[in-house]
């Protein structure tokens, strides 16, 4: 990604535990490779409700810096009434230039490097976002052409802004829930995919707002209605792009290393749940028979699996081997995309390094197979999920102690602030935040 010189500002961006994009803008004329601005460690403790939580390891002392990744710079142009500007994703560093212990983007970058260096694997990734238009009054119908047209002119404007920025949007469609849409992006490397996921969230909101329309990505925007997820597609390849995940004779057509990778995700799903579903209302979505995820298993042609083996397109003689990949279906908008992507890689590496048995594959919707597979239900609440994370030494070990302490206190503060609200009221709070 080349450095852009248009627009007054370049925004140096990070995203935090609350998965909200934050940062500082500098004059574009001053932007160059290695550009950085000051940042405050305690900012990590700003939760979704907008305040720095008390008692975290980071206080009013100390300084770090946001250093721009010039190769992750995007020019945003064409939004009505919004001047052209650029956004550059940034890594958090100490003032001596060393990586900051709680930088989420560096967490992902290190996982990508270790996957390559220790296992000879590289990954492709793509995020799918679902979101709901609020206050819409037109009749709505799942997947319909009428709902697609009702999305105009916002849909075309949004697609064009993302395309011109180099985000590579792939598909735009009305989804199943009332006034729900889905936007998918073409696969790329994991760090770029997570960067683009962050950018997509903010550009979608901004474009809709420019047309006096409003969206929410909340996992349950309205109690008792369909929810919105953030699904992560990922493929595993050798360092030169060679096929390593596909085995036509393996269960689910998975090779042993791919099966062990996915076994790691299933094994550590429960203690990871608070990382990929980190809002109190997330657990209203993670329920059986909800086209979501309530149990940790790997499924073939099953959209209630935590890890779905994706179908391949073999029409007109297409071969399945290089297109063979998987979908992690548990995530939602409360999850930091850098943490979500890095967590998938860390759990997968654990499956390989622990030499786990190949993950059992559930075919179709026959859940009776799960009874003999010792699969765990996922936690039923954020409180339970946090307890599972806190007591699991493996998953905790992926993060700095300070990050773990901050995360737990931010999330428990969130629970405390919302404990007297009904589920309907909690849904409204998150619909406004996200």
């Amino acid at each position: 990604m080349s450095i852009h010189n248009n627009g007054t500002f370049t925004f140096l961006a990070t995203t935090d535990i609350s998965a909200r994009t934050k940062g500082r803008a500098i004059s574009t004329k001053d932007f160059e490779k290695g550009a950085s601005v000051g940042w405050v460690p305690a900012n990590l403790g700003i939760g979704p409700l907008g305040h720095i939580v008390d008692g975290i390891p980071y206080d009013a002392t100390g300084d770090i810096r946001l250093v721009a990744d010039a190769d992750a710079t995007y020019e945003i142009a064409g939004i009505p009434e919004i001047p052209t500007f650029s956004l550059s994703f940034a890594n958090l560093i100490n003032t001596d230039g060393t990586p900051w212990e709680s930088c989420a983007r560096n967490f992902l970058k290190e996982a990508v490097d270790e996957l390559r260096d220790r296992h000879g694997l590289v990954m492709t990734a793509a995020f799918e976002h679902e979101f709901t238009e609020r206050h819409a009054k037109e009749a709505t119908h799942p997947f319909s052409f009428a709902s697609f047209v009702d999305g105009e002119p916002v849909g075309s404007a949004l697609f064009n802004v993302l395309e011109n920025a180099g985000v590579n949007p792939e598909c735009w469609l009305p989804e199943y829930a009332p006034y729900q849409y889905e936007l998918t992006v073409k696969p790329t490397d994991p760090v770029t995919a997570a960067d683009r996921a962050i950018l997509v969230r903010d550009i979608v909101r901004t474009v809709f707002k420019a047309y006096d329309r409003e969206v929410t990505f909340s996992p349950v925007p309205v109690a008792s209605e369909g929810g919105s997820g953030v699904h992560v597609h990922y493929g595993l390849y050798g360092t030169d792009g060679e096929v390593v995940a596909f085995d036509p004779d393996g269960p689910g057509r998975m090779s042993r290393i791919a099966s062990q990778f996915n076994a790691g995700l299933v094994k550590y799903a429960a203690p990871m749940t608070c990382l990929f579903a980190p809002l109190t209302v997330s657990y209203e979505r993670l329920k059986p028979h909800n086209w979501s995820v309530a149990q940790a298993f790997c499924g073939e042609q099953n959209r209630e699996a935590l890890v779905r083996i994706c179908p391949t397109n073999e029409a007109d003689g297409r071969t399945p081997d290089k297109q063979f990949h998987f979908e992690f279906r548990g995530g939602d908008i409360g999850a930091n995309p850098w943490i979500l992507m890095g967590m998938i890689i860390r759990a997968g590496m654990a499956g390989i390094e622990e030499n786990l048995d190949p993950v059992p594959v559930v075919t179709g919707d026959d859940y009776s197979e799960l009874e003999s597979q010792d699969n765990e239900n996922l936690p039923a609440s954020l409180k339970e999920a946090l307890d599972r994370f806190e007591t699991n030494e493996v998953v905790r070990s992926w993060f700095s102690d300070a990050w773990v302490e901050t995360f737990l206190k931010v999330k428990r503060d969130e629970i405390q602030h919302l404990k007297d609200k009904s589920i309907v009221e909690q849904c409204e709070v998150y619909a406004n935040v996200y």
Side-chain angles (χ1 to χ4, degrees):
M1 190 74 59
S2 60
I3 298 177
H4 297 286
N5 295 310
N6 298 318
T8 300
F9 292 116
T10 296
F11 190 87
L12 276 61
T14 186
T15 192
D16 55 15
I17 283 171
S18 67
R20 299 300 301 270
T21 308
K22 296 180 172 69
R24 293 180 177 175
I26 63 173
S27 172
T28 297
K29 67 180 176 61
D30 295 330
F31 182 76
E32 59 185 6
K33 189 177 180 66
S36 68
V37 294
W39 198 241
V40 179
N43 286 349
L44 183 69
I46 302 174
L49 306 182
H51 60 272
I52 297 176
V53 172
D54 292 334
I56 63 173
Y58 304 112
D59 54 24
T61 64
D63 288 281
I64 53 178
R65 297 193 70 80
L66 285 168
V67 59
D69 181 347
D71 293 327
T73 302
Y74 297 83
E75 185 178 277
I76 311 302
I79 304 175
E81 306 300 323
I82 302 291
T84 296
F85 66 94
S86 291
L87 181 146
S88 184
F89 287 103
N91 299 312
L92 291 162
I93 61 172
N94 297 308
T95 55
D96 64 1
T98 57
W100 186 51
E101 63 182 356
S102 295
C103 175
R105 193 166 190 263
N106 195 57
F107 167 78
L108 171 55
K109 292 175 71 176
E110 288 183 348
V112 170
D113 290 345
E114 290 182 27
L115 182 67
R116 180 194 63 237
D117 296 342
R118 286 165 32 189
H119 302 289
L121 296 174
V122 297
M123 180 182 279
T124 60
F127 284 67
E128 295 178 347
H129 282 90
E130 297 170 333
F131 52 90
T132 301
E133 183 169 4
R134 307 181 76 189
H135 317 304
K137 293 183 170 52
E138 298 88 352
T140 182
H141 189 81
F143 312 112
S144 67
F145 176 72
S147 292
F148 165 77
V149 173
D150 287 341
E152 292 296 341
V154 183
S156 291
L158 171 61
F159 215 81
N160 287 332
V161 170
L162 293 171
E163 186 72 58
N164 293 336
V167 175
N168 291 334
E170 182 177 50
C171 192
W172 163 254
L173 67 148
E175 253 287 355
Y176 180 73
Y179 310 110
Q180 185 183 49
Y181 292 93
E182 179 174 286
L183 180 67
T184 69
V185 176
K186 295 175 184 177
T188 182
D189 67 274
V191 176
T192 303
D195 289 349
R196 291 176 177 175
I198 296 164
L199 191 58
V200 162
R201 301 167 181 213
D202 289 292
I203 297 304
V204 167
R205 293 189 195 97
T206 304
V207 172
F208 268 82
K209 186 176 179 180
Y211 286 88
D212 295 320
R213 296 165 73 167
E214 181 183 353
V215 296
T216 179
F217 289 77
S218 173
V220 187
V222 178
S224 78
E225 290 190 1
S228 293
V230 175
H231 302 155
V232 183
H233 287 252
Y234 59 95
L236 294 168
Y237 301 90
T239 54
D240 292 323
E242 60 268 33
V243 173
V244 298
F246 181 76
D247 179 355
D249 299 320
R253 301 196 296 177
M254 286 185 288
S255 68
R256 180 173 178 82
I257 197 167
S259 188
Q260 288 183 317
F261 187 98
N262 290 327
L265 270 73
V266 170
K267 176 178 178 178
Y268 290 107
M272 294 192 306
T273 304
C274 64
L275 302 173
F276 63 75
L279 310 179
T280 63
V281 298
S282 297
Y283 300 84
E284 296 298 306
R285 188 179 77 90
L286 300 181
K287 291 182 176 181
H289 312 299
N290 203 25
W291 283 52
S292 182
V293 177
Q295 200 164 8
F297 67 95
C298 178
E300 190 172 24
Q301 299 183 15
N302 189 319
R303 287 176 173 80
E304 295 203 341
L306 178 70
V307 176
R308 182 173 78 105
I309 303 171
C310 296
T312 53
N313 178 8
E314 297 171 41
D316 300 321
R318 294 178 177 88
T319 57
D321 51 356
K322 288 192 174 181
Q323 57 177 298
F324 186 69
H325 71 284
F326 312 98
E327 179 186 25
F328 184 86
R329 295 182 55 81
D332 67 41
I333 197 65
N336 177 322
W338 294 326
I339 297 295
L340 177 57
M341 192 77 250
M343 171 208 78
I344 290 171
I345 296 172
R346 289 283 175 197
M349 285 196 294
I352 296 170
E353 291 164 7
E354 294 174 20
N355 196 28
L356 296 183
D357 290 336
V359 66
V361 177
V362 174
T363 303
D365 61 356
D366 184 3
Y367 292 90
S368 64
E369 297 180 41
L370 294 176
E371 297 176 2
S372 62
Q373 293 178 12
D374 195 30
N375 285 70
E376 290 186 280
N377 288 329
L378 297 180
S381 69
L382 180 56
K383 180 183 182 301
E384 181 187 347
L386 293 170
D387 292 342
R388 295 297 299 272
F389 170 70
E390 186 174 22
T391 57
N392 189 280
E393 293 182 2
V394 173
V395 178
R396 281 183 57 132
S397 72
W398 302 339
F399 304 91
S400 72
D401 290 342
W403 190 93
V404 169
E405 185 179 350
T406 303
F407 176 78
L408 290 170
K409 286 187 175 177
V410 165
K411 289 287 127 184
R412 285 169 174 157
D413 174 87
E414 194 175 323
I415 292 171
Q416 181 65 24
H417 274 80
L418 296 176
K419 67 181 178 65
D420 294 328
K421 293 185 181 295
S422 68
I423 190 62
V424 172
E425 292 170 325
Q426 291 179 46
C427 287
E428 181 68 17
V429 168
Y430 285 119
N432 289 330
V433 170
Y434 292 102

